[in-house]
Amino acid sequence: MARGDLSDVEWELVEPFLPLGGRGPVPDLRRLFNAVMWRFRTGRPWRDVPQEYGSWSTVYGAFQRWAAAGTFRMLMGGMIAEAAARDQVALDLVSVDSTVARAHHHAAGMAVDPELLDELEKAVAEEKGLIERGKAHRWLRRTRTATTWCVRTTKTHLAAERRCRRLSFVLTPGQDADSPRFVPVLEGIKVRGPVGRPRTRPGAVAADKTHSSRANRAYLRRRRIRCVIPEKADQVANRKKKGSRGGRPVAHDPDLYKDRNTVERCINKIKEWRGLATRYDKTATGYLAGLHLRGAVIWIRSLRPT
């Protein structure tokens, strides 16, 4: 077993989630899975996968099939459910934040169908018109070269619990703001237990000032979730300017807010894998699959014996 590969106990948790091929000989799933982990852990090209893991094309083909089928997403959900079954998930406080990964030039140059390229150019033209009128919605930070299309940066919005383990991911272009993604991140929290519906409501949510908005606070209030988000200076000034019409000051617990660092530590754990600290994948599907894989491995290696 090479450094970083799954142990026998860890493999017993992973194996039920990996589908077998529809035809041909049964592949060595453990070796393929360890190879995919090696690629994201080191950030090396797929062609550099060591021979001990088998042919690089076989490894890449398995990764593509698993990513398209949502295998890594289901694996991470299964590991969260396993932790919940062992009573090792704490939802008393969930922290939300985001991180940006710069795209390597190997992530550029994805071939685009000519018809799709024409549609993208029309979207750019419409966006330029909106920019001139001050009504732009910049969904992608992009560059165009000949018949290729690439994204320069990718932003990952995530929620983490007290033990620095990820609960949900939302992937967006690098220039997207944090506040509009606050609700989708929380909506992605689903902790399945042995029986009953999944748990989706944490006791409290901590986030920095970039997530401070009336809409986000109203969402937390409607779901009866304690809000631990400091108020922006301009929002405080605007409220005081209105006097009694500005409403009451926002309640904030500075002691509980100190525990928000758990999501930042979770980001550090994710970016220990070089293939995620920098984006080398041309497609968002591949990069998101790597994020789910890393999230699943973090959960697996944090489980305490029962």
Side-chain angles (χ1 to χ4, degrees), residues 183-305:
V183 172
V185 168
L186 294 181
E187 292 287 345
I189 297 176
K190 290 180 175 61
V191 180
R192 299 196 312 271
V195 295
R197 297 179 180 178
R199 296 167 60 192
T200 61
R201 186 167 65 90
V205 173
D208 58 20
K209 292 182 179 180
T210 59
H211 299 88
S212 177
S213 71
R214 288 187 177 181
N216 291 341
R217 294 182 188 277
Y219 171 81
L220 295 177
R221 189 163 51 249
R222 184 170 62 253
R223 294 193 62 193
R224 299 180 181 178
I225 301 174
R226 186 178 180 185
C227 180
V228 189
I229 303 176
E231 198 174 12
K232 293 181 180 180
D234 61 331
Q235 293 174 344
V236 174
N238 188 49
R239 175 171 49 77
K240 290 181 177 180
K241 182 179 178 181
K242 293 182 178 179
S244 59
R245 295 182 294 106
R248 298 178 179 178
V250 173
H252 178 61
D253 188 340
D255 293 328
L256 191 57
Y257 183 74
K258 293 178 182 178
D259 293 334
R260 192 189 66 84
N261 65 79
T262 54
V263 68
E264 296 172 349
R265 288 152 57 194
C266 177
I267 291 171
N268 289 339
K269 286 185 177 183
I270 292 171
K271 289 195 171 184
E272 286 177 1
W273 282 16
R274 298 181 180 183
L276 299 176
T278 301
R279 175 175 167 173
Y280 297 97
D281 296 270
K282 295 180 184 295
T283 65
T285 302
Y287 185 72
L288 187 59
L291 289 172
H292 282 122
L293 172 61
R294 179 53 175 155
V297 172
I298 291 174
W299 277 97
I300 291 171
R301 291 179 172 167
S302 69
L303 294 176
R304 295 187 292 266

Side-chain angles (χ1 to χ4, degrees), residues 94-131:
V94 168
S95 301
V96 177
D97 206 348
S98 67
T99 181
V100 173
R102 185 169 181 83
H104 192 268
H105 62 269
H106 288 172
M110 180 178 66
V112 178
D113 182 83
E115 295 182 0
L116 177 59
L117 188 62
D118 292 338
E119 294 298 324
L120 290 172
E121 287 196 347
K122 291 179 181 178
V124 171
E126 294 176 359
E127 183 176 290
K128 288 181 179 179
L130 291 173
I131 292 174

Side-chain angles (χ1 to χ4, degrees), residues 23-242:
R23 58 184 181 274
V26 178
D28 187 344
L29 296 179
R30 183 172 182 176
R31 186 174 62 179
L32 293 176
F33 191 85
N34 284 329
V36 173
M37 286 178 54
W38 179 91
R39 188 268 174 178
F40 279 100
R41 183 168 58 82
T42 62
R44 299 286 295 277
W46 288 102
R47 291 177 181 270
D48 292 344
V49 171
Q51 285 296 326
E52 63 190 77
Y53 293 120
S55 169
W56 73 267
S57 59
T58 302
V59 174
Y60 179 70
F63 168 73
Q64 288 289 84
R65 291 192 300 272
W66 292 342
T71 300
F72 299 108
R73 174 178 52 80
M74 291 185 288
L75 173 62
M76 195 181 68
M79 294 305 100
I80 296 176
E82 177 66 24
R86 300 185 186 189
D87 196 23
Q88 296 179 19
V89 180
L91 287 182
D92 59 320
L93 176 66
V94 168
S95 301
V96 177
D97 206 348
S98 67
T99 181
V100 173
R102 185 169 181 83
H104 192 268
H105 62 269
H106 288 172
M110 180 178 66
V112 178
D113 182 83
E115 295 182 0
L116 177 59
L117 188 62
D118 292 338
E119 294 298 324
L120 290 172
E121 287 196 347
K122 291 179 181 178
V124 171
E126 294 176 359
E127 183 176 290
K128 288 181 179 179
L130 291 173
I131 292 174
E132 293 175 358
R133 298 193 297 272
K135 299 179 180 179
H137 295 283
R138 302 178 183 178
W139 298 113
L140 293 174
R141 183 178 180 183
R142 52 193 171 228
T143 57
R144 180 188 183 279
T145 57
T147 58
T148 61
W149 203 260
C150 65
V151 179
R152 294 178 181 174
T153 57
T154 296
K155 180 177 283 189
T156 304
H157 309 260
L158 69 156
E161 45 93 78
R162 280 189 178 273
R163 292 184 60 192
C164 310
R165 298 174 296 185
R166 168 267 177 204
L167 291 169
S168 68
F169 281 130
V170 171
L171 203 63
T172 65
Q175 82 280 3
D176 268 23
D178 290 350
S179 185
R181 306 300 173 180
F182 180 77
V183 172
V185 168
L186 294 181
E187 292 287 345
I189 297 176
K190 290 180 175 61
V191 180
R192 299 196 312 271
V195 295
R197 297 179 180 178
R199 296 167 60 192
T200 61
R201 186 167 65 90
V205 173
D208 58 20
K209 292 182 179 180
T210 59
H211 299 88
S212 177
S213 71
R214 288 187 177 181
N216 291 341
R217 294 182 188 277
Y219 171 81
L220 295 177
R221 189 163 51 249
R222 184 170 62 253
R223 294 193 62 193
R224 299 180 181 178
I225 301 174
R226 186 178 180 185
C227 180
V228 189
I229 303 176
E231 198 174 12
K232 293 181 180 180
D234 61 331
Q235 293 174 344
V236 174
N238 188 49
R239 175 171 49 77
K240 290 181 177 180
K241 182 179 178 181
K242 293 182 178 179

